[in-house]
Amino acid sequence: MWQQKTTSNMAQRIHTHITNLSNEHSSWLRGVAFYNDELCILKHRLAEVSFENTAQEVKAEVEHYQNQFIIQENNLRELKKDIDKNFELIGKDLEEKAMHVGNSTMAETDSLRTRYIHLEKIVNELRHAFNRFFCDHMETAVH
């Protein structure tokens, strides 16, 4: 399979084997599942903090994290849907274009890669911030 990219004066072909794309899609889907599991764990911890702390300022932070978890779950769900759709488009291109993936499909794949990396960064930053919040407020609740 190849993709043709146009540069200023010449066209160049970039070869990408379908196995690489398939492996990348699988990796993204495993990552999405992992981060969904992580958010589920964080939501349980959030419930613990909410139960143990009745201070209004803590309740406001609990609500903030609850909203962020919902937003990121929605983002992960949308990304998974788009990854599945992209994989179907690749298969369709392979059948219709003599084992080649079209430029628009490859551009979409590149966009998904960027989205995945960005979402991964956001979820990890959220997780780290929440874990600091959790440690601070569960330690306070115990004392």
Side-chain angles (χ1 to χ4, degrees), residues 44-72:
H44 282 87
R45 288 183 181 162
L46 184 63
E48 290 177 45
V49 172
S50 182
F51 180 76
E52 295 291 334
N53 293 275
T54 57
Q56 197 60 29
E57 66 186 34
V58 174
K59 292 295 185 184
E61 286 189 74
V62 165
E63 185 176 349
H64 163 75
Y65 283 110
Q66 184 178 30
N67 291 337
Q68 287 302 307
F69 296 159
I70 291 168
I71 289 167
Q72 298 317 318

Side-chain angles (χ1 to χ4, degrees), residues 6-99:
T6 305
T7 58
S8 56
N9 292 328
M10 59 188 283
Q12 76 184 136
R13 290 186 180 149
I14 299 172
H15 296 275
T16 304
H17 197 277
I18 186 62
T19 304
N20 294 341
L21 287 175
S22 177
N23 288 342
E24 189 169 32
H25 280 93
S26 294
S27 176
W28 294 341
L29 292 173
R30 283 190 309 273
V32 167
F34 171 79
Y35 290 117
N36 274 320
D37 289 346
E38 283 289 301
L39 289 173
C40 185
I41 291 167
L42 295 178
K43 288 190 319 188
H44 282 87
R45 288 183 181 162
L46 184 63
E48 290 177 45
V49 172
S50 182
F51 180 76
E52 295 291 334
N53 293 275
T54 57
Q56 197 60 29
E57 66 186 34
V58 174
K59 292 295 185 184
E61 286 189 74
V62 165
E63 185 176 349
H64 163 75
Y65 283 110
Q66 184 178 30
N67 291 337
Q68 287 302 307
F69 296 159
I70 291 168
I71 289 167
Q72 298 317 318
E73 285 174 330
N74 289 338
N75 289 339
L76 288 164
R77 186 175 22 264
E78 284 298 311
L79 181 61
K80 181 188 181 313
K81 184 178 78 172
D82 291 345
I83 291 168
D84 290 340
K85 180 181 167 189
N86 181 254
F87 194 68
E88 289 176 17
L89 287 174
I90 289 172
K92 186 176 177 183
D93 279 2
L94 291 173
E95 287 178 17
E96 294 175 359
K97 297 179 180 176
M99 299 305 289

Side-chain angles (χ1 to χ4, degrees), residues 126-138:
L126 176 62
R127 179 178 58 180
H128 293 303
F130 174 75
N131 283 333
R132 285 188 299 274
F133 166 78
F134 178 80
C135 289
D136 289 347
H137 290 86
M138 287 308 286

